[in-house]
């Protein structure tokens, strides 16, 4: 049976890494029929809207979307389309694995890092509840929203993920010492739900200490569950530990639809130059293959990526190599074929 998947090529380096990913999935003979739709700044320029209705209905119909990064104007302009899609489809769990690639030279190459950040994706500081106070933007307020319901849902997702993937520990990251109400509620929910999972160790840590611990001893973390803003920041930190943004994927899981993407953005500094590393999106596609039940193809993809990176011949610039997107993708396809 062939799976129909919505495909958004996106802005900046998006089209380059999406095209590379589609080539690699073809080489894997993944049974996917793509339905290409538009979103982001490019769509806004060409179609007058950053999120056409057809894109929403395609995602709703297919239930799965692979997405290149989308540009969000800073300070003014339309709201983040990434956030809008996640909210529209209630994609409440943002799952971002960060794992050491053996043989790949990184700052932390002697440490076996294997952590998965499970980020609450619908509320917190990103609930979109903000306003300015006149006159002349004298002040601005953003509301941090934390509901018991959404907190329970994400913490349970983290524990279920841990159980399903044979993981041993869940760490809840918060700032309940200062954000006594929102942080306090999130922590209380975590502590309560943890009691239902006595096969998985549970601990909690304050966000500032977490940043320090992740740099000093990242190997101590397994599954991490946290609120929206902290999860956003920590996943970039985790990406930095294992070799950079070019390597880390993310899945946005909802009950009706799920979206797979790279953690990184549109990389405007290298867009259109054929230099982008497609690995993060490829790994996101690997998570998508797992999600669709093509677990063997997902494993094969990850093994091939690891082999090419460890071999060290076709490495992109962000990882210290000289290969462009095409050369790296060719090496990967050769590895899959061979
Ligand atoms: P960015 O992630 O685009 O770039 C940060 C740095 O990492 C740049 O030096 C870039 O060249 C490098 N980089 C990122 N991905 C790379 C890759 N695959 N290969 C090689 N190098 C890579 O972050 P930035 O500059 O803060 O954001 C640019 C735009 O992306 C903004 O409009 C932002 O809103 C958007 N963005 C979109 C996201 C999404 O669609 N999920 C996520 C994050 C940012």
């Amino acid at each position: 049976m062939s799976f129909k998947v919505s495909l958004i090529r996106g802005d900046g380096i998006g089209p380059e890494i999406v095209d590379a990913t589609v080539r690699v999935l073809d080489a894997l003979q993944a049974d996917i029929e793509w339905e290409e739709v538009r979103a982001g700044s490019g769509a806004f320029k060409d179609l007058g809207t950053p999120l056409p209705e057809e894109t929403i209905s395609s995602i709703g119909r297919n239930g799965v979307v692979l997405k290149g990064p989308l540009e969000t104007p800073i300070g003014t302009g339309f709201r983040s389309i990434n956030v809008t899609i996640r909210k529209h489809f209630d994609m409440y769990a943002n799952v971002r694995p960060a794992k050491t690639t053996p043989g790949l030279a990184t700052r932390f190459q002697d440490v076996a890092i294997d952590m998965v950040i499970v980020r609450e994706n619908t509320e917190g500081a990103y609930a979109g509840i903000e306003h300015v106070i006149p006159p002349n933007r004298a002040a601005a307020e953003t509301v941090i929203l934390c509901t018991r319901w959404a907190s329970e849902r994400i913490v349970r997702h983290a524990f279920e993920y841990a159980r399903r993937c044979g993981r041993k520990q869940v760490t809840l990251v918060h700032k309940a010492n200062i954000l006594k109400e929102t942080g306090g509620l999130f922590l209380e929910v975590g502590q309560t739900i943890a009691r239902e999972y006595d096969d998985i160790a549970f601990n909690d840590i304050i966000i500032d200490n977490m940043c320090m611990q992740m740099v000093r001893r990242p190997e101590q973390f397994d599954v991490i569950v946290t609120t929206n803003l902290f999860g956003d920041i920590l996943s970039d930190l985790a990406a930095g530990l294992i070799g950079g943004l070019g390597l880390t994927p993310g899945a946005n899981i909802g009950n009706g639809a799920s979206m797979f993407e790279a953690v990184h953005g549109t990389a405007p500094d290298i867009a259109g130059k054929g230099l982008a590393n497609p690995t993060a999106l490829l790994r996101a596609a690997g998570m998508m293959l797992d999600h669709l039940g093509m677990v063997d193809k997902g494993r094969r993809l990850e093994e091939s990526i690891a082999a090419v990176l460890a071999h060290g011949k076709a490495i992109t610039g962000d990882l210290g190599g000289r290969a462009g997107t095409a050369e790296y993708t060719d090496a990967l396809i050769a590895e899959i074929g061979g």
Side-chain angles (χ1 to χ4, degrees):
M1 193 190 89
S2 146
F3 292 95
K4 210 163 189 185
V5 172
S6 305
L7 182 71
I8 298 173
R9 294 171 85 233
D11 302 315
I13 59 169
E16 298 161 68
I17 59 174
V18 167
D19 291 351
T21 302
V22 168
R23 281 186 63 206
V24 171
L25 291 197
D26 278 352
L28 275 168
Q29 297 179 341
D31 215 353
I32 291 174
E33 190 187 327
W34 301 107
E35 187 170 278
E36 191 177 336
V37 284
R38 300 285 306 270
S41 278
F44 185 65
K45 276 185 211 114
D46 297 344
L47 309 170
T49 166
L51 187 59
E53 192 48 48
E54 168 51 18
T55 303
I56 292 289
S57 41
S58 167
I59 298 171
R61 247 187 341 262
N62 298 327
V64 180
V65 52
L66 182 71
K67 185 187 74 61
L70 305 178
E71 185 190 355
T72 305
I74 295 176
T76 56
F78 57 82
R79 279 193 181 280
S80 164
I81 297 306
N82 301 307
V83 176
T84 308
I85 295 175
R86 289 172 196 156
K87 280 181 106 174
H88 184 92
F89 290 102
D90 194 25
M91 296 172 178
Y92 64 91
N94 189 198
V95 181
R96 296 180 163 186
K99 189 174 175 184
T100 305
T101 306
L104 179 70
T106 70
R107 202 175 274 270
F108 285 81
Q109 65 197 46
D110 300 330
V111 182
I113 299 169
D114 185 5
M115 63 177 86
V116 179
I117 296 175
V118 178
R119 161 188 171 194
E120 201 292 317
N121 220 11
T122 61
E123 41 184 55
Y126 293 15
I129 311 171
E130 52 181 6
H131 58 261
V132 291
I133 299 170
N136 302 324
R137 286 183 121 194
E141 286 180 347
T142 299
V143 172
I144 295 178
L145 176 68
C146 180
T147 65
R148 181 175 293 279
W149 180 77
S151 305
E152 284 177 359
R153 180 165 75 158
I154 195 66
V155 172
R156 218 175 273 288
H157 189 93
F159 275 102
E160 289 295 328
Y161 178 93
R163 202 173 252 176
R164 197 171 61 247
C165 300
R167 290 181 171 265
K168 303 278 176 272
Q169 174 187 279
V170 171
T171 300
L172 182 145
V173 182
H174 62 88
K175 186 72 183 176
N177 53 330
I178 304 296
L179 303 174
K180 289 195 189 296
E181 300 306 336
T182 49
L185 174 58
F186 192 69
L187 176 58
E188 181 212 307
V189 165
Q191 287 166 335
T192 306
I193 288 180
R195 290 190 209 111
E196 296 172 26
Y197 294 86
D198 51 11
D199 50 327
I200 294 161
F202 174 75
N203 55 19
D204 72 272
I205 183 166
I206 293 173
I207 179 69
D208 27 354
N209 185 20
M210 179 67 179
C211 293
M212 196 267 288
Q213 294 291 340
M214 269 175 72
V215 174
R216 290 207 62 189
R217 283 203 317 116
E219 69 278 15
Q220 67 182 293
F221 297 110
D222 191 348
V223 175
I224 295 158
V225 64
T226 190
T227 49
N228 212 335
L229 175 61
F230 296 158
D232 193 3
I233 297 167
L234 286 183
S235 48
D236 268 38
L237 173 50
L241 297 176
I242 58 115
L245 280 171
L247 295 174
T248 38
N252 300 273
I253 307 292
N255 290 322
S258 297
M259 177 163 75
F260 298 84
E261 61 181 341
V263 168
H264 63 73
T266 58
D269 49 337
I270 56 166
K273 297 181 180 163
L275 299 174
N277 183 355
T279 307
L281 189 69
L282 283 160
R283 283 181 162 158
M287 295 176 84
M288 184 185 79
L289 293 174
D290 285 353
H291 180 82
L292 292 172
M294 291 185 256
V295 178
D296 288 350
K297 290 194 193 298
R299 194 176 307 122
R300 177 112 176 276
L301 174 59
E302 181 52 37
E303 284 166 3
S304 306
I305 291 171
V308 171
L309 293 179
H311 200 242
K313 274 199 173 154
I315 301 282
T316 48
D318 57 313
L319 300 177
R322 291 201 185 156
T325 314
E327 193 185 331
Y328 172 73
T329 308
D330 290 345
L332 199 48
I333 289 171
E335 180 66 34
I336 289 167

